[in-house]
Amino acid sequence: MILHRPRMHSIMLVAILSLDLGSRALAGEPLELVKVAAERAIAVLKDPKLKAADKKKERIERLKEIINPIFDYQEMARRSLGAHWRRRSPAEQEEFARLFRAFLEKIYSDRVDLYEGEKVVFGRETIDQDYAQVESTMITVKGEEISVVYRLKRADAGWKVYDAVVENISIVNNYRSQFDRVISKSSYEDLKKMLKEKAG
């Protein structure tokens, strides 16, 4: 069974949706990408017309339109499957990437109501050729500080997030360990079945 660390995903989602845009210090493209997406997402979260219970689905769809473009789900899927990715055909890789994306979207959608006005303070932005890292600290409403580091890769369409390290735990590495365990003990088909069930 896939144990997806609900706390990690909740923190990652809330961090993306609660970036403190009050500071307009000079930023490189990776940091600016996340800031702009966050600004739009916060507007959706604060929109009183979308706060009603019967508007949750619409709120989630609006957030997906904002957040999905900044994520490289193909890269996340590839890294999460690890060595098993190379053993799959191109068609299987595409199928797995779509399934992995649906799986993550379901997790985030289930936790979209967790935003309580948390703030995020940015640290260093590091760019090394086609890879970048943006350090941040999320401050909860209780004053708890949580480290969140975003990892980005330059693609044809620009910079995209492919991983987040929450409290020194990489979400991608966490999945790679779990997926490898499932495939080793069972099969790749069983892994797909589990992901489909959780994405449903």
Side-chain angles (χ1 to χ4, degrees), residues 10 18 25 29 65 69 73-74 81 99 107 111 124 160:
S10 299
S18 61
E29 289 179 40
E65 291 173 3
Y73 288 105
Q74 181 87 7
L81 203 55
L99 185 57
I107 292 173
R111 291 167 175 75
R124 293 185 305 167
K160 286 180 179 280

Side-chain angles (χ1 to χ4, degrees), residues 34-166:
V34 184
K35 277 191 172 185
V36 170
E39 190 170 43
R40 294 175 59 206
I42 290 172
V44 171
L45 288 171
K46 291 183 176 180
D47 188 342
K49 296 177 182 177
L50 297 175
K51 287 188 176 181
D54 61 350
K55 293 289 185 179
K56 182 173 182 177
K57 185 176 180 180
E58 181 181 348
R59 185 165 73 250
I60 290 171
E61 289 305 313
R62 293 273 296 277
L63 289 172
K64 283 181 181 179
E65 291 173 3
I66 297 165
I67 295 172
N68 283 346
I70 75 169
F71 277 93
D72 189 337
Y73 288 105
Q74 181 87 7
E75 183 70 10
M76 293 178 79
R78 182 182 72 78
R79 288 172 179 264
S80 294
L81 203 55
H84 302 285
W85 178 267
R86 295 189 296 274
R87 297 169 191 158
R88 314 273 36 119
S89 69
E92 287 177 319
Q93 291 174 352
E94 288 298 324
E95 178 192 28
F96 183 80
R98 288 194 299 270
L99 185 57
F100 184 71
R101 172 174 174 164
F103 166 66
L104 286 184
E105 286 182 343
K106 181 63 165 62
I107 292 173
Y108 299 148
S109 296
D110 287 347
R111 291 167 175 75
V112 73
D113 292 328
L114 295 177
Y115 175 73
E116 297 179 333
E118 293 86 349
K119 300 295 182 184
V120 170
V121 177
F122 281 101
R124 293 185 305 167
E125 174 192 58
T126 307
I127 299 176
D128 184 5
Q129 297 184 359
D130 290 335
Y131 290 89
Q133 193 164 278
V134 176
E135 299 176 5
S136 70
T137 301
M138 186 179 80
I139 304 173
T140 69
V141 290
K142 295 181 180 180
E144 180 185 10
E145 295 188 358
I146 300 168
S147 169
V148 182
V149 178
Y150 299 97
R151 291 175 174 170
L152 301 92
K153 180 181 179 182
R154 195 197 308 270
D156 293 338
W159 291 96
K160 286 180 179 280
V161 176
Y162 70 85
D163 193 13
V165 181
V166 179

